[in-house]
Amino acid sequence: MTHTALPELISALPAGVVVTDPDILASYRQDRAADPGAGTPLAVVRPTRTEEVQQVLRWATEHKVAVVPRGAGTGLSGGATALNGGIVLSTEKMRDITVDTVTRTAVVQPGLLNAEVKKAVAAHGLWYPPDPSSFEICSIGGNVATNAGGLCCVKYGVTTDYVLGLQVVLADGTAVRLGGPRLKDVAGLSLTKLFVGSEGTLGVVTEVTLRLLPPQHSPCTVVATFDSVEAAAASVVKITGKIRPSMLEFMDSAAINAVEDKLKMGLDRTAAAMMVAASDDRGAAGADDVAFMAEVFTECGATEVFSTSDPDEGEAFVAARRFAIPAVEAKGSLLLEDVGVPLPALAELVGGVAKIAEQHDLLISVIAHAGDGNTHPLIVFDPADPDMTRRAELAFGEIMDLAVGLGGTITGEHGVGRLKRPWLAGQIGPDAMALNHRIKQALDPDNILNPGAAI
Amino acid sequence: MTHTALPELISALPAGVVVTDPDILASYRQDRAADPGAGTPLAVVRPTRTEEVQQVLRWATEHKVAVVPRGAGTGLSGGATALNGGIVLSTEKMRDITVDTVTRTAVVQPGLLNAEVKKAVAAHGLWYPPDPSSFEICSIGGNVATNAGGLCCVKYGVTTDYVLGLQVVLADGTAVRLGGPRLKDVAGLSLTKLFVGSEGTLGVVTEVTLRLLPPQHSPCTVVATFDSVEAAAASVVKITGKIRPSMLEFMDSAAINAVEDKLKMGLDRTAAAMMVAASDDRGAAGADDVAFMAEVFTECGATEVFSTSDPDEGEAFVAARRFAIPAVEAKGSLLLEDVGVPLPALAELVGGVAKIAEQHDLLISVIAHAGDGNTHPLIVFDPADPDMTRRAELAFGEIMDLAVGLGGTITGEHGVGRLKRPWLAGQIGPDAMALNHRIKQALDPDNILNPGAAI
């Protein structure tokens, strides 16, 4: 596929920015959601500067060409699925960062990986909290686009809580600065917050001003196994009602076993569920929190409880939890869910997922940021098996319906993308859908930006 | 002034909801900003239910009548200034609250006061952090409309960080639910966040779902006096770079003396500045923080440093800080500023305000949420003195220009309202202004909602 105006774009940008090599194009068709409906883009554009992004969008608006913004391609909802005849605009080469220790902020280009941001600010004695499990491979631009969460969010909040300012390029190529390095600023509408989580549908983020914190204190960790999912879930509300843990994670039996297969660290393969919790409150307070959580776990019927104030020992369990997705992925392809519910419905959600798995004869492993009520049911399937693929897709939808039925959300932190879009209206209803469309129409009247994604 | 369609509105609503008594109308002309340009409304409408708000807005849209939403009328920027021929829609009679201890949320109607929300959730062992100085008299709806801040925000964030969901009535009378009691939810655009801080220009909030925290630990407090503003300001960045205090407040000499005039608590009248800081980290950690802050204050040249772990003793200083606005107000009418700057510019901002005060021969007292870089210069004037009033107004504008010149904001937590609107474009620039207008136009095409305010 080609476009008569493409040479104009190629010549307007520095050599190498626009890529049309078919092999390279193929590698930008999908993100980690592996959307089977992915098209082949006209070109992949990899700008290094805001001005180049502006040129791409001016060209796209002039020629009515769809632009799919892409970070590191680690999205799990198909937010960066390429479209036939469209452009993929990858921000991977925009990688500058400036850290200001006095204002405790960093100005970051979108292509830098989350782990690189963490490392760069740590070198200045500061901390950027949000920590998606994929933090070593996902970009900060993608984190902003999806309002990404992570493990420490139960205490420290999600990406939007750390975004003080943005530079965004609108569909017509205008570059706008929103917010800035001011900790409080209510001048004008909260547009910075509107763009966070907009999944590339309202503009392309070319610069992010992040709020940073003083370093986290070394956490104390407690791990507990349970012989029922309900017992583990019951412990969650007992904990979050009383204290603020810095982590409160859940793994089911399938995840425990998949991790143990790979890491062989001596996890209890007979357990129905495992909780990994931590407190980073300083000194005695952290140890007190862990003692309290250990007590709650025991009261709720934990079969084994292990506490440690040794950071390395604690980190081993956190690493096990982080490793759950790749470990389960070793068993087949994944449809990766991201449903959330109000905390009291957590056990019912996990139980309902087990029923759906049984009905469709599928392995569905559930891991969860339990303290946020945000779960990741991992649906294992073989894409070469059409019947199994169909059953996996059915389960994918039924899990979202289940979550919405429990007063929950179809996506807690991964975004709607393309895979979940059919379920969005069912959650938010026609009036909120109409409101989403009015905003989209106002900002991108030609529907150039990531059409078909998110809203 | 009257309107031929008003009887239609009166008969559509329960008896007493629409008020046209001239004396009552007069009392709704202004909020605490005492905007001299205030008009007289056609009617004041005080609905008790979302459906009544919908009826008001349907009527207003049909007849193209402006609606000024109003909370408790404590706004400081003229966001609730009445318009001639318009309606004032007061949410003061919408006062329900339901607390859910399991999800740790509260569903609140907008008319409840901030202090009433705090009290109602405290009865369930929970805590709603945002604490504007006016918390005893301001409403939660007004807090949402302005994205209000307060003293503990330096550690705990502002109103938007606690709003999980909203019910809003749009200009055309549609009631939309946004978000809900889910701690993480990225389904659709971040519309909840867009409405927070929109100052009644996009819709009328009729219900708020608030995130709550476990109770705050009893804080340790440290108070220090300085013989220069610069020394006090220097201490701020040294503290926030290392620890997370739960309060970091600043008062200048005029504020200290005004408070001492009233409270006679033995404050050092000769001091140029006073810092009131606290840490609510548990046990030894809080005391450690306070010891660290005391050390920083001393290093920065504090003339006197006093620390206490006694909550009542600490609260006396916090009360002194909160009392600063009424104390200074005893000296005359106030034009109350709300400018913010990046932290390193704090001393320059305070110094610049002093110069402006001198140039215009005015008393301008500065108090500040120093840890957020958010200051409240209080311009004292006599509205019966036209020349002084003119000088106060000049100073009001010059302070905003000064803040913007230092990379700051014209409003950190009070909102733009009507008083600050002429300065908004100067801060955010024409492209961001245009973006604000596109959103406004998309959601309120007839400009019914709070016209002339905020954007």
Side-chain angles (χ1 to χ4, degrees), chain B residues 329-349:
Chain B
E329 206 163 14
K331 303 197 175 301
S333 289
L334 294 187
L335 265 178
L336 211 153
E337 263 294 359
D338 177 40
V339 292
V341 286
L343 284 185
L346 194 56
E348 208 175 332
L349 178 70

Side-chain angles (χ1 to χ4, degrees), chain A residues 102-104 150 182 184-186 189-190 196 240 281-282 285 289 344 369 372 407 409 411 413 436 438 442-443, chain B residues 102-104 182 184-186 189-190 196 240 281-282 289 344 369 372 407-409 411 413 427 436 438 442-443:
Chain A
V102 181
T103 57
R104 228 173 56 201
R182 296 168 291 273
K184 280 185 189 163
D185 186 356
V186 297
L189 297 172
S190 302
V196 177
T240 56
D281 272 14
R282 247 179 312 171
D289 279 350
H369 306 305
D372 293 319
T409 177
T411 175
E413 58 182 11
N436 274 275
R438 280 158 81 171
L443 267 57
Chain B
V102 182
T103 57
R104 228 171 58 200
R182 295 167 292 272
K184 280 184 188 163
D185 185 355
V186 296
L189 297 173
S190 303
V196 178
T240 57
D281 272 14
R282 248 180 311 170
D289 279 350
H369 307 305
D372 293 319
T409 177
T411 175
E413 58 182 11
Q427 177 186 334
N436 274 275
R438 279 158 83 171
L443 267 57

Side-chain angles (χ1 to χ4, degrees), chain B residues 56 73 104 135 137 175 243 307 320 322 354 389 403 428 444:
Chain B
V56 176
R104 228 171 58 200
F135 77 105
I137 52 170
I243 64 163
S307 304
R322 279 215 189 84
T389 303
I428 69 174
D444 179 20

Side-chain angles (χ1 to χ4, degrees), chain B residues 126-198:
Chain B
L126 291 167
W127 179 42
Y128 173 68
D131 57 348
S133 292
S134 58
F135 77 105
E136 288 170 307
I137 52 170
C138 63
S139 71
I140 198 76
N143 290 179
V144 170
T146 56
N147 190 14
L151 281 67
C152 76
C153 300
V154 63
K155 178 168 180 180
Y156 288 99
V158 293
T159 303
T160 193
D161 299 313
Y162 294 87
V163 179
L164 293 175
L166 291 174
Q167 185 176 51
V168 293
V169 177
L170 304 179
D172 64 7
T174 311
V176 186
R177 285 195 179 278
L178 305 171
R182 295 167 292 272
L183 297 174
K184 280 184 188 163
D185 185 355
V186 296
L189 297 173
S190 303
L191 298 180
T192 306
K193 299 274 187 198
L194 175 65
F195 276 84
V196 178
S198 63

